[in-house]
């Protein structure tokens, strides 16, 4: 059995992989087909006019980068794709080893100096704190496991905890923000995952795009690997206290 780490090139990024006792190797290949959509959403936000910039004016050189919150971010494939596309990313995972590997992958991919905030924390608790702080993001990425534990040993069960996590995330969206939700439970239907976004985040049903995740071999064989649901632009939420954009200039572990 292979036990030493090795590196692979994926979508122009360098990912260092290593087998874990769970059987995972540090990357989900089925996520690769999500990256073009993710990068397109970030490009859209990079082109968008600032609220105080008159329509039709040329883009401002002082435009802040779009902000992305990646929960259950693992070893950083989506984080690095978002950072490469121009986003300031907050990368959150409960496993310190995964965050350490993600930081190494950023360096290997030539993105070590990009604005990525590395956080070792329970995703639900971090999202709740960000909501209380009034922070908002231009995009949210969530890849929750079916079962796991936070840094303090708190158990996570997707069927019990995902709805409350998404409810906490509802107030984290900047106007027109996007969301990408993936699940590796093979018996979850894409329509069910899309319905969760409608029920918890109040996404407009017609705006939800959902489909299956799969790994496809060169022979054409298809291995089911879960489902995804995504929304390119969330509806505006009622005005409340002034939000703070979720910048990522600070590069540290911890909140």
């Amino acid at each position: 059995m292979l036990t030493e780490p090795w590196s692979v090139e994926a979508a122009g990024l360098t990912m260092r992989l290593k087998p874990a006792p769970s059987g995972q190797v540090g990357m989900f290949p089925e996520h690769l087909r999500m990256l073009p959509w993710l990068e397109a959403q970030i490009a859209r936000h990079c082109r968008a006019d600032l609220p105080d910039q008159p329509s039709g004016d040329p883009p401002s050189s002082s435009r802040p980068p779009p902000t992305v919150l990646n929960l259950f971010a693992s070893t950083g494939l989506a984080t690095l794709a978002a950072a490469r596309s121009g986003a300031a990313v907050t990368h959150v995972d409960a496993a310190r080893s995964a965050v350490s590997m993600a930081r190494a992958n950023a360096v290997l991919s030539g993105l070590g100096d990009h604005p990525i905030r590395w956080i070792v924390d329970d995703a639900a608790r971090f999202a709740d704190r960000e909501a209380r702080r009034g922070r908002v993001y231009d995009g949210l990425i969530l890849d929750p496991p079916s079962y796991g534990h936070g840094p303090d040993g708190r158990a996570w069960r997707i069927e019990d905890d995902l709805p409350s996590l998404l409810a906490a995330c509802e107030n984290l969206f900047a106007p027109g923000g996007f969301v990408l939700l993936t699940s590796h439970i093979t018996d979850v239907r894409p329509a069910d995952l899309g319905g969760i976004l409608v029920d918890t985040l109040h996404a407009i049903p017609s705006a939800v795009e959902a489909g299956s995740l799969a790994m496809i071999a060169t022979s054409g064989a298809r291995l089911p690997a879960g489902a995804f649901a995504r929304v390119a632009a969330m509806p505006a939420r009622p005005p409340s206290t002034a939000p703070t954009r979720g910048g990522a200039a600070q590069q540290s572990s911890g909140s």
Side-chain angles (χ1 to χ4, degrees), residues 169-182:
C169 289
E170 183 181 8
N171 292 323
L172 294 179
F173 288 99
F178 67 85
V179 59
L180 171 61
L181 172 65
T182 53

Side-chain angles (χ1 to χ4, degrees), residues 54-78:
S55 178
D57 281 7
S60 169
S61 60
S62 61
R63 180 194 311 277
T67 54
V68 173
L69 174 60
N70 188 5
L71 298 175
F72 309 100
S74 187
T75 56
L77 179 65

Side-chain angles (χ1 to χ4, degrees), residues 6 14 53 58 64 71 84 87 89 106 125-126 138 143 156 159 196 211 217 222 234 237 242:
W6 74 99
T14 301
Q53 179 177 321
L71 298 175
R84 178 181 62 184
V89 187
R125 292 181 181 176
F126 181 81
D138 295 305
D143 182 41
W156 160 275
E159 64 273 15
I196 291 175
R222 182 182 179 90
M234 292 293 294
R237 57 191 175 90

Side-chain angles (χ1 to χ4, degrees), residues 75-244:
T75 56
L77 179 65
T79 289
L80 301 185
R84 178 181 62 184
S85 299
V89 187
T90 298
H91 175 111
V92 181
D93 198 278
R96 188 173 298 275
S97 60
V99 175
S100 295
M101 189 174 290
R103 297 186 76 153
N105 288 337
V107 173
L108 290 172
S109 298
L111 300 170
D113 60 349
H114 279 54
I116 304 173
R117 187 162 57 131
W118 306 101
I119 305 292
V120 178
D121 203 353
D122 176 85
R125 292 181 181 176
F126 181 81
D128 184 63
R129 287 198 305 274
E130 290 290 88
R132 292 200 306 269
R133 292 164 179 157
R135 290 184 177 170
V136 294
Y137 293 84
D138 295 305
L140 266 68
I141 306 167
L142 303 98
D143 182 41
S146 56
Y147 180 78
H149 289 87
D152 59 357
R154 175 179 176 268
W156 160 275
R157 293 177 176 81
I158 191 169
E159 64 273 15
D160 298 330
D161 297 322
L162 180 59
S164 60
L165 170 60
L166 290 174
C169 289
E170 183 181 8
N171 292 323
L172 294 179
F173 288 99
F178 67 85
V179 59
L180 171 61
L181 172 65
T182 53
S183 171
H184 299 280
I185 302 176
T186 54
D187 58 355
V188 170
R189 299 183 305 165
D192 295 336
L193 210 58
I196 291 175
L197 296 184
V198 174
D199 294 340
T200 60
L201 297 181
H202 304 103
I204 299 172
S206 60
V208 178
E209 179 186 2
S212 299
L213 291 174
M215 289 183 284
I216 303 175
T218 54
S219 64
R222 182 182 179 90
L223 177 65
F228 73 88
R230 60 197 186 192
V231 179
M234 292 293 294
R237 57 191 175 90
S240 58
T241 57
T244 302

